[in-house]
Amino acid sequence: MLEEPMHPRLRRRYLIQVLAVMATFTLVHLPQPCAPQPQLQVTVGTDKTQYSPGEKVTIAGTVLSPSAQPVPDVEVSIQVSNPLGGVARIAFETTNSSGQYTDQFSLEQQTPSGTYNVDVIASKEGYSDGVAEAIFQVQTETPDFTVTLQPEFQSITQGQTAHISVTISAKLGFNQPVELSYTNVPPLSICTFSDPVVQPNSTSTATIVTSPNTPPDYYTVTVTGTGGGKVHSASALLDIASVPDLTISISPATRSLLAGEETTFNVTLIP
């Protein structure tokens, strides 16, 4: 049995309905644009700005939301690069309930001196990654010395003498002679050293002779050592007190004598 051909008008209406259904299906299944994710806000820093080889470095920071709220359980990757472009440290930490993270490591003894870069990336599902960076310096130590004074405080009276022991201690094999000098000695006083030039790990004595007219006061005496291109100082406090006044008492206050007689008086000094 032959099918009856569709009327042209019905065929057109049928095609329009099919196209409408296909268009609706296409619109429904088109991928929807994603809403932008909030970006993590990261801070990073070190406990010091300068270190020496072998020292411990502490890196710490905080991860916050755009509304400045702490974000816990954030994966934080940390990379420290040395001045030569090499990697000095790689670590992975997780923020705590306060949004904080911490990492510690010790610099190698042979680590190069210069500027070190700390790069941090914070990642968590539902957020865009946050990044931060910081720098610190590493200064390689060289042979050096220290100056130590003993005692650091003493008290004398006007006209007396003070003695201060000056010790030069070597660091990292320092072996150059150290010349001593002084400043801020009390007025009308003279300072001398038993050894004005001291070898490392040796001691000299500074002798300060005051005058009876040296003004009573506290004086900060500074001793400076210079040697091997290095200069270091140390200070000691010197208290100069006035000489106590004396009261003279004579008894008896008067005596009557005849010509040629002798007598005695009692003289008492009272401080």
Side-chain angles (χ1 to χ4, degrees):
M1 179 177 182
L2 295 176
E3 292 186 2
E4 192 174 316
M6 183 180 291
H7 192 277
R9 184 176 298 175
L10 292 176
R11 183 182 301 163
R12 188 163 49 248
R13 182 181 300 173
Y14 174 77
L15 290 174
I16 291 174
Q17 290 176 344
V18 170
L19 290 174
V21 170
M22 292 178 64
T24 301
F25 180 83
T26 302
L27 289 174
V28 169
H29 286 78
L30 281 176
Q32 300 297 315
C34 296
Q37 293 181 319
Q39 187 171 33
L40 294 170
Q41 309 298 313
V42 190
T43 64
V44 63
T46 54
D47 59 325
K48 292 169 56 177
T49 59
Q50 182 170 309
Y51 300 87
S52 298
E55 274 196 282
K56 180 179 291 185
V57 179
T58 299
I59 300 171
T62 305
V63 180
L64 304 175
S65 68
S67 59
Q69 296 301 309
V71 182
D73 302 322
V74 177
E75 295 181 357
V76 180
S77 61
I78 303 168
Q79 178 171 309
V80 180
S81 303
N82 65 31
L84 304 180
V87 177
R89 172 72 169 177
I90 292 179
F92 300 93
E93 302 292 340
T94 303
T95 58
N96 60 18
S97 59
S98 300
Q100 299 172 337
Y101 65 91
T102 303
D103 179 48
Q104 287 186 331
F105 72 101
S106 294
L107 294 165
E108 295 181 359
Q109 292 292 344
Q110 303 301 321
T111 193
S113 60
T115 301
Y116 284 65
N117 295 297
V118 182
D119 294 294
V120 170
I121 301 177
S123 304
K124 185 174 183 177
E125 187 175 352
Y127 292 89
S128 295
D129 290 353
V131 298
E133 61 181 17
I135 61 171
F136 63 85
Q137 303 291 325
V138 172
Q139 182 63 50
T140 303
E141 288 186 306
T142 58
D144 206 343
F145 67 91
T146 60
V147 180
T148 306
L149 304 186
Q150 288 294 336
E152 295 182 346
F153 172 80
Q154 59 181 302
S155 181
I156 61 175
T157 57
Q158 294 166 299
Q160 289 186 328
T161 299
H163 299 281
I164 301 175
S165 177
V166 183
T167 301
I168 303 299
S169 301
K171 294 173 59 179
L172 300 176
F174 183 85
N175 59 2
Q176 300 297 310
V178 177
E179 183 176 358
L180 302 179
S181 61
Y182 61 85
T183 55
N184 301 328
V185 296
L188 306 176
S189 300
I190 298 174
C191 180
T192 58
F193 294 103
S194 60
D195 294 300
V197 178
V198 183
Q199 296 298 323
N201 300 320
S202 299
T203 298
S204 176
T205 299
T207 300
I208 302 173
V209 180
T210 65
S211 164
N213 297 319
T214 297
D217 206 343
Y218 289 93
Y219 298 92
T220 302
V221 179
T222 300
V223 176
T224 300
T226 304
K230 309 287 186 178
V231 179
H232 297 289
S233 299
S235 298
L237 186 62
L238 183 60
D239 173 25
I240 298 181
S242 58
V243 176
D245 292 332
L246 297 177
T247 301
I248 301 176
S249 173
I250 301 176
S251 64
T254 60
R255 280 188 187 275
S256 298
L257 299 174
L258 295 175
E261 290 185 327
E262 294 182 359
T263 188
T264 59
F265 291 88
N266 295 320
V267 179
T268 303
L269 302 178
I270 303 173

